[in-house]
Amino acid sequence: MKHLFKVVLVLVSGVCVAGDGTSVVAARTAAEQARGAGKRGWLAWEAERNPYFPAQNLERVKEIATLLPARAEIAGDPARYRAEWTKLAATAEGQKKISEARKKLTEPIPELTVVAYEAYRKTGNRATYDAAGLRSQMLTKLVWGEVLEGKGAFLGKIAEVLDAICDEPSWIAPYEGGLGDIGKPLHGTTHYIDLTASARAAQVALAISWFRDRLPSRTREHALDVLRGRIFETFLKDARRTGETTPYCNWWMPDRFNWSAVCHNGC
C-alpha cells in the first residue's frame, strides 16, 4: 500500500520522493525535535516542520509513465458494467437505495449561501454549514438511484444538485478558511483545498464521469471549470514546485498528517 500511494502521488503530481521516503522522514523528525525550542505558535511550527518535496527524478517519472494504460478507465463505469449494476439493483439493498433516491426527487435542495459563512463568523457554530453535508448526501443518494436503475429518472435532479454545488461561494468549510476564499476569481489565483473541498471534488468528478453526455452540457462544462479552478490548478502548482522552501498553499501536500491521505484521495 505504501508503494502504491507513492506511485499514485507520482502519476498525479509528477513528483517523485526519492528512495523509501527517508529524506522526508528525516526532515520531519528534525523539525519535530525542535518543536519545543520555541513558542511561536501552531502556524510557525507547522511551517518549520513541514518537509518539502525533493527535486524531481525525471527518469523515474518517465519509467513509471510507461506502466500507465493508454486510456484511463472510469471506476465502476455504469455504461461498461451495466449488467453488474442491474444485478445489484435487484437485491434488497439495491431496491432500498433506489427507494431512497426517489424520495430525494421531490425534496428541495438545501440552501447554502454567503449567509451561512457569515453566520459562522458571528457565532462560531459549525451547524450553520450543515447544508453542505445535506447537499452531498442528496447527490450521493440520487447517483446511487441512477447508476442502479439506469433509466434516466434521476438525471434531472442530479444536474440541479451539481449546478447548486458548483455555484457555492466556496468549497472550503468556513471553519477551515472558506470565508477568505469567497469572492476570489476562479482562475489565476490559489484556492486552499481542505477536507470538504477535496471530498466535494471527488463527488462531483465521479458524477460527471459516470453520466457524461447524459447530463446537460452546461452542467458538465461548469463542473469541469470549477474543478480546474478550485482544485487542479492549485494542486498541480503546489505538487510541481519541488526543491523549494517557500510555504505550500496546501500545507498537507508533503506532510504525514492524516489530511495528506484524505485530501490526496479526493483530489
Side-chain angles (χ1 to χ4, degrees):
M1 182 60 71
K2 179 178 71 174
H3 298 299
L4 176 59
F5 173 77
K6 285 164 63 179
V7 169
V8 170
L9 182 61
V10 170
L11 300 183
V12 170
S13 65
V15 172
C16 183
V17 176
D20 60 358
T22 52
S23 60
V24 172
V25 174
R28 174 64 178 272
T29 302
E32 288 178 342
Q33 290 173 346
R35 181 183 182 186
K39 296 182 179 180
R40 296 184 299 280
W42 167 260
L43 291 177
W45 173 66
E46 180 61 41
E48 179 184 72
R49 79 190 181 108
N50 210 16
Y52 298 91
F53 287 129
Q56 294 184 39
N57 181 339
L58 296 180
E59 291 305 314
R60 179 57 176 156
V61 171
K62 293 177 181 178
E63 181 182 346
I64 293 175
T66 63
L67 304 176
L68 293 173
R71 181 175 180 177
E73 179 181 340
I74 300 170
D77 186 348
R80 180 173 180 179
Y81 299 105
R82 184 67 259 159
E84 286 76 4
W85 284 114
T86 299
K87 289 178 183 177
L88 180 57
T91 66
E93 183 63 22
Q95 288 299 303
K96 178 182 177 181
K97 289 189 178 299
I98 293 173
S99 177
E100 291 174 345
R102 287 202 180 100
K103 293 178 182 178
K104 294 299 177 184
L105 288 174
T106 56
E107 290 184 13
I109 300 172
E111 185 177 7
L112 180 60
T113 65
V114 175
V115 174
Y117 290 79
E118 292 296 338
Y120 172 77
R121 187 204 299 273
K122 295 175 181 177
T123 66
N125 183 1
R126 294 192 177 196
T128 61
Y129 190 61
D130 282 352
L134 294 174
R135 285 179 165 197
S136 291
Q137 292 172 21
M138 174 177 278
L139 181 58
T140 296
K141 290 181 183 297
L142 290 166
V143 167
W144 265 114
E146 183 57 38
V147 77
L148 287 167
E149 195 174 71
K151 297 178 181 179
F154 304 97
L155 290 174
K157 191 73 172 187
I158 288 172
E160 289 181 31
V161 180
L162 284 171
D163 289 340
I165 289 175
C166 291
D167 285 338
E168 290 171 3
S170 175
W171 279 357
I172 308 168
Y175 39 84
E176 297 294 353
L179 286 162
D181 192 60
I182 294 174
K184 274 189 174 183
L186 183 58
H187 302 285
T189 185
T190 54
H191 293 274
Y192 177 53
I193 305 170
D194 71 336
L195 300 172
T196 303
S198 62
R200 246 165 165 57
Q203 188 178 35
V204 168
L206 182 63
I208 62 173
S209 296
W210 272 2
F211 304 126
R212 298 190 289 282
D213 56 0
R214 298 179 68 203
L215 292 170
S217 59
R218 180 201 171 278
T219 296
R220 295 197 317 272
E221 292 166 6
H222 183 37
L224 286 170
D225 191 43
V226 172
L227 284 168
R228 291 188 191 100
R230 289 183 171 172
I231 304 297
F232 300 128
E233 289 172 7
T234 297
F235 180 87
L236 293 175
K237 182 179 179 181
D238 257 354
R240 287 170 174 165
R241 42 180 276 308
T242 61
E244 298 181 23
T245 56
T246 52
Y248 287 77
C249 174
N250 294 293
W251 59 267
W252 47 262
M253 183 74 73
D255 206 285
R256 291 186 297 159
F257 195 61
N258 69 309
W259 275 47
S260 181
V262 176
C263 292
H264 271 104
N265 176 62
C267 292

